[in-house]
Amino acid sequence: MNEITPKGPFDGLLVIDLTHVLNGPFGTQILCDLGSRVIKVEQPGHGDDTRTYGPYVNDQSLYYSFVNRGKESVVLNLKEDKDRAIFINMLKQADVLAENFRPGTMEKLGFSWECLQQINPRLIYASSSGFGHTGPMKDSPAYDTIIQAMSGIMMETGFPDGPPVRVGTSLSDLCAGVYMFCGIASALYGREKNGRGAHVDIAMFDSTLSFLEHGLMAYIATGKSPDRIGNRHPYMAPFDVFNTQDKPVTICCGNDNLFNSLCRALNLTEAMADPRYASNVLRVQNQASLKAEIENVLKTQTAKFWVDRIHQAGVPVAPLLSVSEAMELPQTQARNMLVEAGGIRMPGNPIKISGYPDPHIRPGAATLDQQGEQLRLEFN
Amino acid sequence: MNEITPKGPFDGLLVIDLTHVLNGPFGTQILCDLGSRVIKVEQPGHGDDTRTYGPYVNDQSLYYSFVNRGKESVVLNLKEDKDRAIFINMLKQADVLAENFRPGTMEKLGFSWECLQQINPRLIYASSSGFGHTGPMKDSPAYDTIIQAMSGIMMETGFPDGPPVRVGTSLSDLCAGVYMFCGIASALYGREKNGRGAHVDIAMFDSTLSFLEHGLMAYIATGKSPDRIGNRHPYMAPFDVFNTQDKPVTICCGNDNLFNSLCRALNLTEAMADPRYASNVLRVQNQASLKAEIENVLKTQTAKFWVDRIHQAGVPVAPLLSVSEAMELPQTQARNMLVEAGGIRMPGNPIKISGYPDPHIRPGAATLDQQGEQLRLEFN
């Protein structure tokens, strides 16, 4: 080994990236952030659809840039012989091929898993799709909202007297992207031991099911789906979001001591002695009346006042922050979670590993076919 | 290599697991599902707090079982010399040590990263905490709800005229758990190249920030946080949840052709010709009136009727399913996403990798100290 610091644990690996839009690119972005060389192969025309999505900064689509920074771009028409030959040369040298087409697309292009193994038996071939490459729904169309709708997570989110709520971010796309990375990293480790490639088959649907948590526990325990419970904790109280004079705050009392500390901080001496609130189980049963008593006090002062006071009492408390307030926290900067890539601010890499750099300034996203000429030569 | 099929890509690895509650155990569960031997070291008394949490099935806490199945359990008091010696012997042979204590706890126990490297220079030491091991907020208490509140994700979730909504699952715990696994798998791969251990430092806060998506794009583009937008898509319409005669459905029209197909399926010929809906940009601007026109039609029939009809028209559509409906889909079974461990049904492993088994029947969670006697002998 030479003594140049590796860019990350996957430095030296070559990833051929056919992914598009959000789910697949989010997964290969992690490989790129952790040191891999990632070559994004885009279709002729406008390339990845997200290049046409706003919002734009410096004429660059933020949507595209957020999940493709640091990747090289080449346009190849996989239906034409000349470009296919270049693509096959890439695959022969590649460690990973990633795609998030509908199942069957790679077969139609002549790149089934069997065919890919013949081209390169050490290749890790990673697919991410709505419902996966097996099962009766594998061909169903899948947007993030469809998967959120069908997984149960929307029915779990929201208030008991309100409608189901979509998670305000494309959770199913994003968690499938992270799981795709998990599968690739695992298969790469396995290859160190057995020398063989593997097919990683990730579904947005499976990924979201794996996140259901207490809703799924309730189903297993009772055979029924739980009701939506808004912002409160299913098994602890007071553990919820509360209104103050201005903005909402969250207060999290996991045990009797914290409840008593909260009551003292709010001068709620009667509630502290009230038999309806004498244990956590009773407080969960009577959480509605307890919440009303707490909010009656909180409404007399601002969120800032109460966060300071309740924090001093040793009770876990926090303001509800907007995205801009969250991004402007000194902690966000200290953790390098807002980096600069190609002159645009964007989220940093949450996977911090000692011994590898976590640069604040990073290469940006490529323009369409930016490295095309060199890449066509390199893999000719 | 012998010819016994490995249990997974991490077969043969030894993971010492000090994690507790949800975030850390969710990460080490993936290592276990992918073949590692995971020894859960629990504190004297009742062990992991979640052993005392309901709901219970067959006298086992579902909360504990969901994220600790297949792990061995031993009780060790890390403040007593005899147990410390066993623990240190474990670390000498281990590949991974994982914990999700508050930062500083491992130092207080005498197991700082420097100390761990002396015990075993090849050890991957993974920490997951609320705000990470660096930065001004590293010592702040962190429950999932506090991180959701401070990351901006609650302010992004919900309707414009309603309050912010907590994601109906412990998203910050879970995504940090998956990222912890990502960091461990990456560091293990890096160790194959450089022979050295590493410290993986994951924060629930960083992890949630990495999932903000369009809310963060809006902030970067405009300097302001976006308004909550309920269940609709920020840049496409009609792409939302709609009420029918009985249950809600989601309909996702990403382009003009799909919009026209939808109008034909709903006999909305006037809307199809309406200049307010002539392009996607215009439909987003006028989504409220368009939604009202669509719901007027949908309210005449059931969700099942409309899902069939709109699906036949080639437009992406889905019913909103409860957790029980989602888990009972044939697709869920076909993908083995509801496995049986220790006689209890629980979520399967979404990371499907060819060449490794994905068993439907798996070992369950251990009782407290179930393997204690053998383990104390093995690492004496």
Side-chain angles (χ1 to χ4, degrees), chain A residues 131 134 137 149 155 157 166 168-170 199 201 206 211 213 219 225 231 321 324 328 331 335 352 354, chain B residues 131 134 137 149 155 157 166 168-170 199 201 206 211 213 219 225 231 321 324 328 331 335 352 354:
Chain A
F131 293 94
T134 58
M137 290 183 70
M155 290 295 254
T157 300
R166 179 178 180 275
T169 187
S170 294
H199 181 203
D201 170 16
D206 299 352
F211 270 39
E213 198 220 0
Y219 165 66
S225 301
N231 296 333
L321 299 184
S324 57
E328 286 158 13
Q331 184 70 14
R335 296 284 292 177
K352 314 290 186 192
S354 68
Chain B
F131 293 94
T134 58
M137 290 183 70
M155 291 294 254
T157 301
R166 179 179 179 275
T169 187
S170 295
H199 181 204
D201 170 16
D206 299 352
F211 270 39
E213 198 221 358
Y219 165 66
S225 301
N231 295 334
L321 299 184
S324 57
E328 286 158 15
Q331 185 69 14
R335 297 283 293 178
K352 315 289 186 193
S354 67

Side-chain angles (χ1 to χ4, degrees), chain B residues 103-161:
Chain B
T105 305
M106 291 296 284
E107 284 80 354
K108 278 182 205 150
L109 288 168
F111 295 107
S112 67
W113 170 223
E114 290 68 31
C115 170
L116 291 168
Q117 284 172 287
Q118 281 169 17
I119 293 170
N120 178 355
R122 283 177 55 83
L123 187 72
I124 309 297
Y125 165 46
S127 307
S128 185
S129 58
F131 293 94
H133 279 219
T134 58
M137 290 183 70
K138 68 184 167 63
D139 298 320
S140 298
Y143 291 98
D144 177 86
T145 300
I146 286 187
I147 303 294
Q148 288 202 28
M150 296 195 74
S151 65
I153 199 148
M154 282 181 70
M155 291 294 254
E156 277 196 285
T157 301
F159 294 91
D161 55 354

Side-chain angles (χ1 to χ4, degrees), chain B residues 237-284:
Chain B
F239 202 117
D240 202 342
V241 171
F242 300 87
N243 287 314
T244 70
Q245 197 178 75
D246 52 356
K247 298 171 187 171
V249 299
T250 179
I251 302 172
C252 304
C253 291
N255 59 46
D256 293 341
N257 287 340
L258 290 172
F259 174 62
N260 292 338
S261 299
L262 176 70
C263 288
R264 280 189 289 267
L266 304 188
N267 282 324
L268 274 172
T269 41
E270 284 181 28
M272 202 160 115
D274 193 321
R276 290 177 301 167
Y277 311 139
S279 72
N280 181 59
V281 170
L282 288 166
R283 289 192 296 273
V284 171

Side-chain angles (χ1 to χ4, degrees), chain A residues 87-121:
Chain A
F87 183 68
I88 290 169
N89 283 340
M90 287 178 168
L91 294 181
K92 284 181 182 163
Q93 295 180 45
D95 297 284
V96 176
L97 170 67
E99 55 88 8
N100 62 322
F101 294 123
R102 267 201 208 192
T105 305
M106 291 297 284
E107 285 80 355
K108 279 182 205 150
L109 288 168
F111 295 107
S112 66
W113 169 223
E114 290 67 30
C115 169
L116 291 168
Q117 284 172 287
Q118 282 169 15
I119 294 170
N120 178 355

